[in-house]
């Protein structure tokens, strides 16, 4: 257990439905990341937050995807009008970002993931 | 776009044998991390290497970062069934916090 929790762990939905996932990071961590992992592949970056600010979004994050971190603690990832191609494991990671240009690398701790199946 | 290629993709060996997994890129990374992932779970960090040429040992696992910081290897000595899993390398760019993951090596150790 890394201290990062995700809910739900599994979600089955029908095409066209909306789904929302939650991530609770390690409490003192200021950065929170979302990744997507399809079967047989490594995780791919979707977006990340520093505190409540969303600082980067991947081209993979279409208009149907939205992520929030309203109070700089937990985060939600919503997918609207789900498609079968959205079926994947959605992973959340958190880290404590240090000083700019720090020589010490930032370590990301991953949650157990939410496995989404769109029928 | 930074890409990381891992080889082999799949590896199945007998308990007690040694193995090496490679992670290669044409890009330079500020640091490189190795994770192990069990089915249905998130990746768990094994090690982070930062300096070109760095070697880190974690019990029977030895990690090396290439001199040019473009590649890395993971060597396991006397593999055990508990080593079975998906091994992922991930690179961090300079001033770029997101991780770029490799394609993964699925390792199976046969008792």
């Amino acid at each position: 257990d890394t201290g990062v929790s995700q809910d739900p762990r599994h979600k089955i939905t029908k095409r066209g439905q909306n789904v929302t996932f939650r991530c609770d990071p390690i409490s003192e961590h200021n950065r929170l990341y979302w990744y997507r992992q399809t079967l047989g592949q490594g995780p791919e970056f979707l977006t990340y937050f520093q505190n409540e600010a969303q600082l980067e979004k991947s081209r993979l994050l279409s208009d149907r995807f939205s992520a929030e971190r309203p109070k700089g603690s937990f985060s939600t990832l919503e997918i609207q009008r789900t498609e079968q191609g959205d079926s994947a494991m959605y992973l959340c990671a958190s880290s404590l970002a240090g000083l700019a240009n720090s020589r010490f690398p930032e370590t990301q701790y991953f949650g157990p993931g939410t496995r989404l199946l769109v029928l | 776009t930074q890409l990381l290629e891992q080889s082999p993709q799949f590896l199945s060996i007998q308990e007690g044998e040694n193995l090496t997994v490679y992670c290669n890129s044409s890009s330079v990374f500020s640091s490189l991390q190795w994770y192990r992932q069990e089915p249905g779970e998130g990746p768990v960090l094994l090690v982070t290497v930062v300096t070109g040429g760095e070697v880190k040992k974690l019990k029977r696992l030895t990690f090396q970062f290439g001199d040019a910081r473009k590649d890395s290897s993971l060597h396991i000595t006397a593999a055990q069934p508990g080593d079975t899993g998906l091994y992922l390398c991930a690179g961090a760019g300079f001033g770029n916090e997101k991780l770029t993951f490799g394609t993964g090596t699925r390792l199976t150790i046969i008792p």
Side-chain angles (χ1 to χ4, degrees), chain A residues 9 31 33 35 37 40 42-43 45 48 56 89 91 105-108 110-112, chain B residues 31 33 35 37 40-43 45 48 50 86 88 96-99 101-103:
Chain A
R9 293 291 308 274
R31 282 191 179 155
Y33 299 79
Y35 292 84
Q37 185 177 25
F45 169 79
Y48 93 96
E56 188 174 348
M89 172 82 95
L91 293 162
E106 169 188 332
T107 297
Q108 295 184 26
F110 282 82
Chain B
S31 67
Q33 303 177 7
Y35 290 83
Q37 187 176 22
E41 299 293 331
L45 181 69
T48 300
V50 180
L86 178 67
L88 295 160
N96 188 344
E97 294 75 11
K98 66 189 179 194
L99 292 176
F101 278 86
T103 47

Side-chain angles (χ1 to χ4, degrees), chain B residues 3-7 21-34 49-55 63-74 89-91:
Chain B
L3 294 173
L4 276 169
E5 293 188 2
Q6 286 186 238
S7 61
V21 175
Y22 299 94
C23 175
N24 296 296
S25 176
S26 58
S27 301
V28 178
F29 292 98
S30 65
S31 67
L32 197 135
Q33 303 177 7
W34 283 92
V49 285
V50 180
T51 307
E54 182 177 2
V55 176
F63 304 85
Q64 185 162 9
F65 201 11
D67 291 340
R69 299 160 86 174
K70 292 182 179 181
D71 52 81
S72 181
S73 64
L74 158 60
C89 63

Side-chain angles (χ1 to χ4, degrees), chain A residues 11-58:
Chain A
K11 179 71 177 178
I12 300 175
T13 191
K14 291 183 179 178
R15 189 178 55 184
Q17 297 293 305
N18 300 343
V19 294
T20 300
F21 310 141
R22 177 180 170 123
C23 171
D24 286 90
I26 295 171
S27 59
E28 64 269 23
H29 282 186
N30 53 3
R31 282 191 179 155
L32 188 148
Y33 299 79
W34 286 99
Y35 292 84
R36 182 172 71 185
Q37 185 177 25
T38 53
L39 212 57
Q41 301 295 320
E44 295 175 292
F45 169 79
L46 291 178
T47 187
Y48 93 96
F49 294 83
Q50 177 144 334
N51 300 313
E52 62 275 6
Q54 189 173 17
L55 296 188
E56 188 174 348
K57 292 194 287 187
S58 161

